[in-house]
Amino acid sequence: MKFAKAILFIAITAGLVYVLDKPWAPAPALGPFLSPFCGLWQNSEKVIDPKTRVTLQLDSLRDEVVIRYDDSGVPHIFAKNDFDLFYAQGYVTAKDRLWQMDLQTRAAAGRLSEILGPATLALDQQSRRLGMGYGAEANLKVAMTDPRSREALLGYTAGVNAFIRQLAPKDYPIEFKLLGYKPEAWKPINTMYMLEQMTLTLAGRSNELAMTNALKKYGQQTIAQLFPDYPMLQESPIIPSGTAWDFPKLPVPKAIPPMIPGDSSLLSSKPLTALPEKAPKEEGIGSNNWAVSAEKSITGYPILANDPHLELSLPSIWYQVQLHSPDVNVYGVSLPGIPSVIIGFNERVAWGVTNVDADVFDLYKIKFKNEYRNFYWHDNQWKPTHKREEIIHVKGQLRPYREQIIYTHHGPVTDSDGTFSDLPNLAIKWIGHEPGNSFITFYELNKAKTYDDYRKALTHYVGPAQNFVFADNEKNIAITVNGKIPLKYKEQGKFVLDGSSRADDWNGWIPAEQNPFVKNPPRGFVSSANQSSADTTYPYYINWSFAPSERAIRINERLQAMTNANADSLRMLQNDNFSVLARTLLPKLLNILETRSLTPKQKAAHILLSNWNYQNAPESVAASIFETWFPLLGQAIWNDDFSSPESPMEYPSRDRTLYLILKQPNEKWFDNVNTPEKETLPDLVYQSFNASLDTLTAHKGAMSPEWQWSKVKAAEIRHLSRSIKPFNAPPLITGGGSSIVNAMTKRKGPSWRMVVELGPTPRAYGIYPGGQSGNPGSPYYLNLLKKWEKGELNELIYLTSPDQKVPHLASSLVLQKR
């Protein structure tokens, strides 16, 4: 009996060893992960003693580098040459964010399946079919021909790899242990993949199919009325209305009527295999930046502010750093994987960015000669395609997935999965494929001293197009709608284009010096919030649709009235919760409700809304009602006309919806064509109001403090894995909203808030949600979150030497050549 028990015990033990030591699907082997010698227990960190000074000997360095850490975990790097400067930046960034760099690079390169298995194969196919690798390779060739970007890329790469070489398995970031794989060497092309990923995030969306479907159903006249090329109700463009365009204008290509295809496959609801599968565009989400003139500032110098709104994650998309070498001393935020500072300031200038949303992603209908797709028809002749083989290795599968992506001169064809008739043959023309060296823009901005330096730096920039705000110690302020923007005819790219017509090709580029910009405008400030770039007098086409105007209107109202501004004035504006949308629309809706007989529950909500100050404060119940009500009203107006699972259509914009409600209350669009009755605007207002109360009741119970806006919105910040809940941030209490200056929604919001007071010695303030470290076991993982949640900023420690004595400095790290 004892012998049988011994055999059973040995068998169970062997089974456990086998199970724990074997990876299952995307999960790692649990034995190594739980091991006290190399598993998760090795990833806990403590706050470093401020007196700590560590010296390391590393390969490839040219001279000694001193890195001072402050008590927020921010590295201040002092190098004697640029190669070592970027080497050290790569080293410390990898030290804090290695898994983030690896994951985001894999996502852009289409290599997630190597570590996650078949579950991510579709995502990898999408990246390959979109041409992310094609674009990264094209950009790397250009970058390596410029000695400045070459030195930066090679230095940064050497620094990242110096850190990776130091790691034993017990030192791997916890996500590597969880997924059961090890870090691989960094390469210069990884930086290009990071730039591609940024371009995809900010300029990788297409609505041409949905617009073409709507055009096919309703015709040109109706679509022109419902989808105008400039807001009908209200707008406050980035470049102030009335700005003169003092340059020799290029001839604009002649407009061509949109193609209305008879091919029903174009209207198919089957997903296109290369297009990013994203939810409908969330209106109002975007970024803010502005600068006020010396005349409006209490300091006598300009003040600049920037808060880019992106999907919030842990760790943050940004990484704070100060870079100091003989010809640069810059502080700001970088993107992990990319050398230099992307948004920041130095001793003479400050700059920031918001997204332009230029139309640089177009779809072309392609006609192939036959099913082999070796030739396509263009400009009255058959032209050869070329093919790019993509190989995707999938964890757990013996053979890799192989696919040939077909390219035309426009770009890759969306349905490169071997079929010919089931899907439309659409080629993608995208700015992400355009060779260039956008890195040099940030390299030169880091070292800029004057307005002329700023304007010169922008000439190198390709995309994604950004609104670059600027201020300097010579008391200049400026903003430039900047990027490589194609020269198009009006509305080119609003609908699917004819890939066989040369007239539908991109016709060169708007000259960089003719991109919309303004310097020192009479109103004393510049600003952007993703709204229209310029008024209708600007001679070139950038896009027909931009972000709604409410954030811009609120920012410009407050800046117009602002005097004696200081950094705190601009910080408070970044946290502004006022709803211009509610101010514009709510009185009309409430007047309509007063014509109806209301239940006690409805009366209570009506009273709350009538007394509301239009502030989307965290504790506001009225904000919850309005923010639930208006989307339901929009759906009630448009769903019956534009909802079509078989042929998805674009919905009219928020501005157009407001115009319809306020200016065209008797239009046919208020009638629900799916019912025998003829509905009117008052009918839909009442129905959607009641539906909003029912929705809140279903989710939160009867009206109570549970209806407060912060609880209804339920903002959250998740770990990059999206699935490891213990690594997420605690629940947030925030106000704001999609049409609010404080554009905080459930998962998107101010990813970095920065305010810079220019002057003889710059003073700057900034914060992002989370912390410097990507390690959930680090005290620097969430140390900034609470202050960010409250809308506060940290003073940014701007050093001029490594030995400078200032408060809040902590440990030192010295890198020496081996």
Side-chain angles (χ1 to χ4, degrees), residues 87 90-91 94 156-166 184-187:
Y87 181 108
Y91 183 92
Y156 193 90
T157 297
V160 173
N161 289 332
F163 175 75
I164 292 174
R165 284 195 298 271
Q166 291 181 333
E184 63 182 19
W186 189 261
K187 301 174 182 176

Side-chain angles (χ1 to χ4, degrees), residues 22-180:
K22 179 180 176 60
W24 298 92
L30 293 179
F33 175 66
L34 297 175
S35 166
F37 305 105
C38 63
L40 78 161
W41 318 106
Q42 297 292 327
N43 291 95
S44 61
E45 296 179 4
K46 296 180 180 179
V47 175
I48 300 176
D49 188 321
K51 298 179 182 178
T52 301
R53 182 180 175 92
V54 176
T55 300
L56 299 174
Q57 276 80 40
L58 301 175
D59 295 329
S60 303
L61 272 173
R62 298 174 182 174
D63 214 322
E64 182 177 87
V65 179
V66 177
I67 304 169
R68 298 296 309 275
Y69 281 91
D70 63 34
D71 57 7
S72 291
V74 177
H76 304 256
I77 302 172
F78 290 84
K80 297 174 183 176
N81 60 75
D82 279 356
F83 180 89
D84 287 351
L85 183 70
F86 294 121
Y87 181 108
Q89 185 184 8
Y91 183 92
V92 299
T93 307
K95 178 173 176 288
D96 284 326
R97 302 290 187 86
L98 182 60
W99 186 73
Q100 177 186 18
M101 295 164 65
D102 180 271
L103 180 76
Q104 292 179 335
T105 300
R106 287 180 179 275
R111 296 182 56 212
L112 289 172
S113 298
E114 294 178 15
I115 60 171
L116 298 175
T120 55
L121 178 58
L123 291 175
D124 287 342
Q125 290 172 323
Q126 177 181 291
S127 296
R128 306 295 182 101
R129 293 166 178 171
L130 189 56
M132 300 278 277
Y134 175 87
E137 292 165 11
N139 280 282
L140 181 64
K141 288 180 181 179
V142 177
M144 295 302 279
T145 62
D146 187 307
R148 298 169 298 173
S149 50
R150 178 183 176 86
E151 181 178 55
L153 288 171
L154 294 179
Y156 193 90
T157 297
V160 173
N161 289 332
F163 175 75
I164 292 174
R165 284 195 298 271
Q166 291 181 333
L167 296 177
K170 69 180 181 64
D171 304 316
Y172 291 168
I174 193 168
E175 294 89 350
F176 286 98
K177 298 176 183 179
L178 274 168
L179 294 170

Side-chain angles (χ1 to χ4, degrees), residues 223-255:
I223 293 305
Q225 292 171 352
L226 293 182
F227 299 90
D229 296 335
Y230 194 78
M232 299 178 68
L233 187 66
Q234 52 187 3
E235 182 57 286
S236 185
I238 292 170
I239 308 304
S241 294
T243 299
W245 310 111
D246 188 19
F247 48 73
K249 302 173 184 62
L250 297 181
V252 176
K254 183 179 179 181

